[in-house]
Amino acid sequence: MGLQALALAVAGVVFTFAAFNQPSISIAGTVFLIVLVFALAAGLAAVSVNAFKGFRWTRSAAFVWQLLMVAIAVPALLNGSTLTGLVMGVPAIAVIYYLFTPRVVAYSLRAGGGQQLL
């Protein structure tokens, strides 16, 4: 998930450079897309960091994000964009699988230092 957050941040930088170098049909739409991509990258980075801390809410957030990735990857595969579909789908399926392994579930349900985690 951390790599996905990094990829989104890189995409945001690419979109920002493209906004200054290429003509845009809608400036408002371009700005919205850039802000949305950076917000998603920040949110996914927060989920990744808190998953390492053992917070249980991160599993549901990660699961929803991975389902969205699969929902984008399947049409890409069906439309002939095999590389794009695989790059988006394979990591998403792997994360979904590992989210429900006993070790990950146990780690996210643990209590640390006498203080219950969320």
Side-chain angles (χ1 to χ4, degrees):
M1 289 184 318
L3 291 176
Q4 289 174 338
L6 182 62
L8 274 174
V10 168
V13 170
V14 169
F15 290 158
T16 303
F17 282 129
F20 289 111
N21 295 328
Q22 298 174 358
S24 177
I25 296 173
S26 170
I27 297 298
T30 303
V31 170
F32 176 76
L33 178 65
I34 291 169
V35 170
L36 180 66
V37 168
F38 279 123
L40 287 172
L44 194 56
V47 169
S48 299
V49 168
N50 286 309
F52 280 113
K53 292 180 181 179
F55 288 98
R56 87 174 57 143
W57 63 267
T58 59
R59 285 190 5 242
S60 60
F63 182 70
V64 168
W65 177 257
Q66 301 312 320
L67 284 179
L68 289 172
M69 294 295 290
V70 169
I72 295 169
V74 169
L77 284 169
L78 295 175
N79 287 329
S81 300
T82 307
L83 182 62
T84 303
L86 290 176
V87 166
M88 294 174 74
V90 170
I93 291 171
V95 170
I96 289 171
Y97 170 76
Y98 284 112
L99 281 174
F100 295 104
T101 58
R103 290 183 69 191
V104 172
V105 172
Y107 182 78
S108 66
L109 295 177
R110 66 181 172 76
Q115 180 180 352
Q116 292 271 342
L117 296 177
L118 297 176

